[in-house]
Amino acid sequence: MSFEESSGHSHLTLDAEIAAPSTSSPSSSSSAVNQTLLLLQSDDPNFRLQAAKEIRRLTKTSQRYRRHFSAAVGSLVDMLRCDSADANEAALAALLNLAVKDETNKVNIIDAGALKSIIGFLQSENLALQEHAAAALITLSALPVNKPIISSSGAIPPLVEILENGTSHARFDAVMALYNLSTHPDALTQILKTEPIPPLVNLLKSCKRSSRSAEKCTALIESLVEFEEARTALISEDGGVLAVVEILESGSLQSREHAVGALLTMCQSNRSKYREPILKEGVIPGLLELTVQGTPKSKPKAQLLLRLLRVTPYPRSELQPDTLENIVCNIISQVEGEGQLEKAKQMLADMVQVSMEQSLRHLQKRALVCTTPDLPINSCVSQVPTK
C-alpha cells in the first residue's frame, strides 16, 4: 500500500468487527461472496445494510475479497444516495476498503458516480460521514488518473473547510487528501484559490511537529509558496513564518526538508521582501543544525538559505573566503536580542564540533577499510618485478 493510502484511513478500519478469516477455502469464499451480493440486490434496506457491512468486514484485510467484490461497486454507490445515514456510512466504508491497493476499484468507484455523494458528505453535519468521506478521498486520490477528476469535481473547497472546522481525524485526512491532489499542477492552482494558508498554519500550530499532519502541511506550504499569493499570505498570517521555522527546528527529517525548501523558495523569489520576516523568527540555529545533520536534500538548501540571509548574497573577495562560518557570523551580527545572538553563536560552535566528530569517524572508517590484519605487512607493498 502506498503511503498516500495507508496513512489516511487506518482509524476507520479499527472497529469492533472481526476481520475475515484468512484460512477460508475457495469454495466457501465464493459462497460468501455470492450470498452477500444477493443481499446487496435485495429490496429490503436492512438486507442491503447487512451486505454492505459484510463487504466492509471481508475486504478489510483481504486483497482477494476486494477483487471478488468489485461487482458490488455500483450497488454500494447507489446506497450513498439513499436517505439513511447508517446505509451511507456502511456503503462508504465498504467502498473505502474496496479501493485500498486496487486501482481497478478506484477507477470503477469514480466511474460509478460516487464523487458527488462523497463531496456532499464532506459538508455533512454527520461527523462520522465527514471522516469517512475525507478518508475515501485519500485512497481515491492516490491514483494519478483520479487526481484531476476529483479536483475538478469540487472536492477542494470542502476539504480546506475541514482543515479549519473538522474533527482531528477529519482534519488529518483532509490534509492528506489535499497533499495527494496537490501533486497534480491543476489541483495546486485550485487549492491556492481557496486561500488555504491560514487553515494550514493553524493546523501546523496545533499538531505535533513530528507528526504526519505536520509533514503534509509543510509539504503543501512548500508547494504553495511557489506562488506570490501564498508567500504574501504566509508572512501576513500571525505566526505563519514562525510555524514553518519551528518545524525546521524540531520536525521530522522530511518535515524539516519541506520547511527549509519553503523558506528558500521565498527568499529566492524576492530576497529583499522575505529576508527580514524569515530572519526575525530565529531561523539561524535550525539552519546551522541542518547544514550538519540534515538530509542530503536539506543540507544544501540550508547552506544556500544561509548565504541568501547575509547582508550581501554575493561571494566575498579571496581575502575573505565565503565560508559557512563567515556567512553565519555576518548574519548573527545583525540579529536583534542578546539571547538569540548567544544561541546562534553556541549553535555554530556545536556545529563545528559535530562536523569535526563526523570527519573523525569518517577517517576511522577509512582506516578500518584499508587495514587488513590477516595479511603480512609486506603484502601491502607494491611488488616491483625483478630483472
Side-chain angles (χ1 to χ4, degrees):
M1 186 188 304
S2 69
F3 177 79
E4 289 180 322
E5 292 184 59
S6 63
S7 56
H9 62 271
S10 58
H11 65 277
L12 294 177
T13 56
L14 297 176
D15 51 31
E17 295 170 316
I18 302 172
S22 59
T23 56
S24 57
S25 66
S27 59
S28 63
S29 298
S30 178
S31 175
V33 169
N34 291 333
Q35 290 177 9
T36 305
L37 288 174
L38 284 174
L39 284 176
L40 194 62
Q41 301 295 330
S42 171
D43 293 332
D44 189 328
N46 291 324
F47 286 163
R48 293 198 297 271
L49 179 61
Q50 179 185 340
K53 289 181 176 180
E54 183 69 359
I55 292 172
R56 178 190 186 183
R57 183 182 74 86
L58 293 172
T59 58
K60 188 183 303 182
T61 58
S62 171
Q63 190 63 28
R64 181 178 46 152
Y65 275 117
R66 290 172 192 145
R67 290 193 303 269
H68 290 336
F69 279 113
S70 60
V73 167
S75 298
L76 289 170
V77 170
D78 288 339
M79 287 181 66
L80 298 180
R81 305 184 182 109
C82 71
D83 294 330
S84 167
D86 289 341
N88 295 157
E89 185 177 342
L92 189 53
L95 288 168
L96 172 60
N97 284 357
L98 282 171
V100 173
K101 297 175 65 175
D102 195 306
E103 295 188 359
T104 299
N105 283 344
K106 286 183 176 71
V107 171
N108 290 342
I109 290 168
I110 297 291
D111 288 346
L115 271 182
K116 183 177 180 180
S117 297
I118 292 174
I119 294 170
F121 296 149
L122 290 176
Q123 304 166 75
S124 172
E125 295 181 0
N126 184 320
L127 298 182
L129 274 177
Q130 190 180 93
E131 290 181 3
H132 280 69
L137 286 180
I138 295 176
T139 302
L140 294 174
S141 63
L143 187 65
V145 70
N146 282 347
K147 295 177 191 285
I149 301 172
I150 295 171
S151 300
S152 62
S153 298
I156 289 173
L159 284 171
V160 174
E161 178 66 24
I162 286 175
L163 288 184
E164 193 72 59
N165 300 312
T167 66
S168 58
H169 281 318
R171 294 170 77 194
F172 170 76
D173 290 344
V175 78
M176 285 295 301
L178 286 168
Y179 171 76
N180 282 359
L181 294 173
S182 72
T183 59
H184 190 275
D186 293 342
L188 192 59
T189 304
Q190 292 182 52
I191 294 171
L192 187 65
K193 291 178 181 178
T194 65
E195 301 182 357
I197 293 298
L200 283 173
V201 168
N202 288 336
L203 181 56
L204 202 55
K205 290 177 181 178
S206 65
C207 64
K208 292 183 179 179
R209 296 176 190 173
S210 59
S211 66
R212 286 174 177 167
S213 294
E215 180 183 328
K216 295 310 171 185
C217 275
T218 315
L220 266 174
I221 290 173
E222 181 184 18
S223 297
L224 289 166
V225 295
E226 295 286 345
F227 301 88
E228 177 62 24
E229 303 97 299
R231 294 192 290 268
T232 301
L234 187 61
I235 64 169
S236 301
E237 183 68 19
D238 184 29
V241 175
L242 177 60
V244 177
V245 169
E246 288 177 340
I247 295 298
L248 184 147
E249 290 178 336
S250 55
S252 67
L253 288 176
Q254 195 65 40
S255 295
R256 299 178 77 186
E257 189 176 295
H258 292 309
V260 70
L263 298 177
L264 178 60
T265 296
M266 293 174 69
C267 211
Q268 285 178 320
S269 70
N270 190 333
R271 179 178 173 273
S272 61
K273 180 177 180 180
Y274 297 113
R275 176 179 175 273
E276 287 301 326
I278 293 172
L279 264 180
K280 76 175 185 179
E281 299 299 355
V283 72
I284 301 304
L287 286 177
L288 291 175
E289 186 177 341
L290 277 184
T291 61
V292 177
Q293 297 178 335
T295 66
K297 288 184 179 179
S298 62
K299 282 182 181 180
K301 289 180 179 179
Q303 292 169 356
L304 180 53
L305 183 53
L306 281 170
R307 290 187 174 91
L308 289 172
L309 291 175
R310 58 184 287 185
V311 173
T312 170
Y314 302 105
R316 300 183 176 195
S317 66
E318 292 182 1
L319 296 177
Q320 291 179 301
D322 190 19
T323 64
L324 184 58
E325 182 178 358
N326 283 337
I327 293 170
V328 173
C329 289
N330 181 286
I331 294 171
I332 63 177
S333 66
Q334 309 158 61
V335 175
E336 296 181 359
E338 187 66 25
Q340 185 170 315
L341 178 61
E342 290 305 317
K343 184 178 180 182
K345 288 180 178 178
Q346 183 60 49
M347 184 66 76
L348 176 58
D350 293 343
M351 179 189 71
V352 172
Q353 179 65 29
V354 171
S355 181
M356 292 175 63
E357 291 173 355
Q358 288 181 341
S359 297
L360 180 60
R361 285 196 295 270
H362 179 66
L363 290 173
Q364 289 172 337
K365 288 180 180 179
R366 289 185 62 183
L368 288 173
V369 170
C370 295
T371 301
T372 52
D374 294 336
L375 296 178
I377 294 177
N378 61 6
S379 69
C380 297
V381 182
S382 300
Q383 297 295 320
V384 179
T386 56
K387 293 185 180 179

